[in-house]
């Protein structure tokens, strides 16, 4: 009985803290609507193609013209470490970093300038095919992770914009 009472008390305190879900309102909510107004510019390379597709999968377009353009530049590198006595590399680290900028299409103003990135460890085997396949799989996973990080930051930007617009409308009343 004490546990249930404690759970209810914790729930009441949590609801009073002012936290709100970012995606409240689902696909018709303000954050989802703001994200639907973003167009992703082409990104160079295989990693760029993967990141752009992952971003477009997460940005559901509403049919209106884009208000913002997302420009992403990637840095994809593979570094060997874990060396055996015969100087053969046994382990690699693939790192994917993205610098991205959200630009207002109407004014050309840069709204967000940030970075995202992740890395993955890869075992180097005696089979060159297996190593290349592992490197490609790591790039696919890293692309998804980087896209998730970018979308999370853009969602925060949308929340900040929503709050600023609400405060401005309250001041104007």
């Amino acid at each position: 009985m004490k546990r249930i009472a404690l759970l209810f008390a914790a729930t009441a305190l949590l609801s009073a803290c002012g936290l709100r879900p970012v995606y409240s309102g689902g696909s018709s909510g303000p954050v989802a609507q703001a994200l639907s107004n973003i167009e992703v510019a082409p990104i160079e390379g295989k990693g760029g193609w993967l990141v752009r597709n992952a971003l477009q999968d997460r940005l559901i377009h509403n049919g209106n013209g884009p208000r913002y353009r997302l420009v992403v530049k990637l840095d994809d590198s593979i570094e060997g470490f874990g060396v055996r006595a015969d100087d053969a590399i046994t382990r690699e680290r693939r790192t994917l970093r993205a610098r991205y900028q959200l630009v207002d299409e109407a004014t050309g103003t840069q709204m967000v300038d940030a970075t995202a990135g992740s890395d993955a460890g890869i075992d180097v085997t005696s089979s060159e095919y297996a190593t290349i396949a592992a490197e490609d799989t790591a790039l696919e996973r890293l692309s998804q992770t980087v896209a998730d990080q970018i979308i999370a930051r853009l969602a925060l930007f949308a929340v900040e914009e929503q709050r600023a617009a609400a405060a401005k409308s309250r001041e104007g009343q």
Side-chain angles (χ1 to χ4, degrees), residues 15-105:
S15 66
C17 74
L19 292 177
R20 294 190 184 120
V22 171
Y23 291 104
S24 63
S27 62
S28 61
V31 171
Q33 290 298 316
L35 291 178
S36 71
N37 291 323
I38 298 173
E39 173 188 38
V40 183
I43 309 169
E44 287 186 30
K46 180 179 182 178
W49 181 80
L50 290 167
V51 170
R52 185 168 191 258
N53 283 344
L55 287 168
Q56 288 179 320
D57 288 346
R58 290 158 176 78
L59 299 171
I60 301 167
H61 295 285
N62 59 10
N64 298 335
R67 179 174 175 204
Y68 300 105
R69 182 173 28 93
L70 181 64
V71 179
V72 181
K73 291 188 177 24
L74 292 180
D75 178 25
D76 179 20
S77 63
I78 299 176
E79 178 185 345
F81 68 100
V83 182
R84 290 192 314 228
D86 63 352
D87 287 336
I89 295 174
T90 59
R91 196 97 172 115
E92 293 177 336
R93 174 180 294 128
R94 184 163 208 159
T95 304
L96 185 64
R97 301 275 180 250
R99 177 168 185 223
Y100 58 96
Q101 299 166 327
L102 186 67
V103 179
D104 187 321
E105 289 279 81

Side-chain angles (χ1 to χ4, degrees), residues 112-162:
V112 175
D113 185 3
T115 59
S118 190
D119 60 6
I122 302 165
D123 287 329
V124 177
T125 64
S126 59
S127 166
E128 187 175 334
Y129 174 79
T131 302
I132 291 170
E135 291 171 352
D136 286 346
T137 301
L139 180 59
E140 291 170 10
R141 283 180 305 175
L142 292 172
S143 298
Q144 297 291 324
T145 301
V146 167
D148 286 340
Q149 291 174 6
I150 292 171
I151 293 297
R153 176 61 182 94
L154 295 178
L156 288 176
F157 164 75
V159 168
E160 292 166 2
E161 286 287 299
Q162 177 190 7

